[in-house]
């Protein structure tokens, strides 16, 4: 029907569908949602205004969406063992904005992991609202180990005396000790906030320490390892903070919640509570560890020497002499999608970067196991060892097609 009404848009979506089906998706923050999540997020729920919260709305006719939001909230609480949750943030950035506004006043001191060491824009970058509204001080990973040095962090926190310490990362492949973060934050009288966006699925499956017992506020997106629709969530065990968060999200930052997305979140949380999800996450981590090993065997420099999560960070500048941007573009020509990424102590600007970030959530959803991961590592190496050889790139592109074909993507390939 869309084809007849709007051919330009239809064709653009078809092209994107084809790209998702034929490319090897290695962006660590992406995933493929289930047919159920797709159905619900494209449903009639998009028609409903529901400003407020279940039972306390500013619009009539909210009895059904109340039920939906309550389902999402109950499932999310169960998934992480949290007492209070807010499922309305439209994104991870808005969830973080709400968390800061709930705990801080403009100008308050905050510590966050530097962007080029794995942190997120909203952890204090000067161009983000976070760096503009608050007095952010970066902490860094250790130059040798490329991992967080908790003793140094503690020393820094004693000097800076922040009101809040933020942890969680976008490009840090190792597990994070939230318990230790809690001890450090408490020792200087600071709040602790954990942005678990990247590892939310790994945490839900019990394969990474759960931040809920240790953090005053936990934020996340729902579309990365958690494999839900694009959006944000906030969790806490503190009733007073929970009340403030609700006020800050609405009416503080947002108006009407996206009820179709909240319904999609409810589906994703139900999926994440199933046994299959643990099996999936175990494979995600196994695949990432194997990818790191196989790339190391092929001469690549894996930042921190490996991974504990879904993510592998390569410093290609160190081993191959070209930037992450070059690597991203050439891999793209072979239908391998990833993103350039700065590495700790990078001398390149973020738009060039010395590294690339790879992730296994999407290809694992697709069904890739050890055998396919070894082939993925080989294909990456073939391309990056031959960036000027068009024949090799074409040959890899054909191998990518052969590798992905036996793994149809839900409805996309059945249409
Ligand atoms: N842009 C996301 C990522 O790729 O990690 C973080 O928000």
């Amino acid at each position: 029907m869309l084809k007849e009404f709007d051919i330009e848009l239809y064709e653009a979506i078809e092209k994107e569908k084809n790209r998702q089906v034929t490319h090897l998706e290695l962006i660590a923050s992406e995933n493929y949602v289930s047919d159920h999540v797709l159905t619900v997020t494209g449903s009639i729920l998009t028609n409903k205004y529901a400003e407020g919260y279940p039972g306390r709305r500013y619009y009539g006719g909210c009895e059904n969406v109340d039920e939906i939001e309550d389902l999402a909230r109950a499932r999310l609480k169960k998934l992480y063992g949290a007492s209070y949750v807010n499922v309305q943030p439209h994104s991870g950035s808005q969830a973080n904005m709400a968390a800061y506004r709930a705990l801080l006043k403009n100008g308050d001191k905050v510590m966050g992991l530097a962007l080029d060491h794995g942190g997120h824009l909203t952890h204090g970058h000067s161009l983000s609202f976070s760096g503009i509204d608050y007095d952010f001080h970066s902490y860094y990973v250790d130059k040798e180990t490329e991992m967080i040095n908790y003793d140094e962090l503690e020393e820094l926190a004693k000097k800076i005396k922040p009101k809040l310490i933020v942890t969680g990362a976008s490009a840090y492949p190792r597990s994070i000790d939230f318990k230790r973060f809690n001890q450090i934050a408490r020792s200087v009288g600071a709040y602790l906030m954990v942005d678990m966006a990247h590892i939310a699925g790994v945490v839900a499956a019990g394969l990474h320490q759960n931040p809920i017992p240790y953090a005053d506020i936990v934020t996340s997106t729902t579309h990365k390892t958690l494999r839900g629709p694009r959006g944000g969530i906030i969790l806490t065990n503190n009733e007073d903070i929970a009340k403030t968060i609700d006020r800050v999200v609405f009416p503080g930052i947002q108006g009407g919640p996206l009820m179709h997305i909240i319904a999609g979140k409810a589906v994703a949380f139900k999926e994440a509570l199933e046994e299959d999800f643990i099996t999936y996450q175990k494979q995600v981590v196994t695949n990432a560890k194997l990818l790191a090993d196989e790339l190391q065997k092929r001469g690549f420099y894996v930042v921190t020497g490996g991974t504990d999560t879904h993510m592998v960070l390569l410093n290609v500048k160190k081993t191959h002499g070209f930037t992450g941007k070059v690597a991203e573009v050439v891999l793209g020509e072979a239908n391998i999608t990833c993103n350039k990424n700065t590495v700790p102590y990078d001398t390149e600007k973020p738009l060039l970067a010395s590294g690339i970030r790879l992730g296994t959530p999407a290809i694992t959803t697709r069904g890739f196991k050890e055998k396919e991961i070894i082939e993925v590592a080989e294909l990456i190496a073939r391309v990056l060892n031959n960036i000027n050889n068009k024949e090799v790139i074409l040959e890899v592109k054909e191998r990518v097609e052969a590798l992905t074909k036996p793994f149809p993507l839900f409805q996309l390939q059945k249409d």
Side-chain angles (χ1 to χ4, degrees), residues 238-288:
N238 181 310
E239 188 178 357
D240 293 331
I241 290 177
K243 282 184 186 152
T244 313
I245 283 171
D246 282 352
R247 273 200 312 277
V248 169
V249 172
F250 172 82
I253 295 173
Q254 298 184 172
L258 309 175
M259 291 315 306
H260 55 308
I261 298 296
I262 289 175
K265 289 172 183 172
V267 175
F269 303 151
K270 183 175 167 65
E271 290 171 350
L273 282 161
E274 311 231 308
E275 205 54 38
D276 279 358
F277 192 74
I278 298 176
T279 311
Y280 161 64
Q281 293 295 342
K282 280 186 180 159
Q283 193 68 52
V284 165
V285 176
T286 300
N287 284 351

Side-chain angles (χ1 to χ4, degrees), residues 29 120 170 198 224 357:
S29 49
H120 187 249
S170 293
H198 260 271
K224 298 185 174 92
R357 188 185 64 164

Side-chain angles (χ1 to χ4, degrees), residues 55-66:
R56 294 179 286 127
R57 304 282 193 186
Y58 289 82
Y59 290 83
C62 285
E63 58 277 12
N64 305 316
V65 292
D66 275 7

Side-chain angles (χ1 to χ4, degrees), residues 299-301 314-327 346-348 352-355 384-385 387-388:
F300 284 90
Y301 183 91
L314 297 183
N315 185 336
V316 291
K317 187 82 192 285
K318 202 174 188 124
T319 50
H320 289 66
F322 48 77
T323 63
K325 182 182 176 182
V326 169
D346 210 328
T347 49
E348 296 287 348
L352 297 175
S354 293
L384 296 185
N385 291 336
I387 60 165
N388 294 315

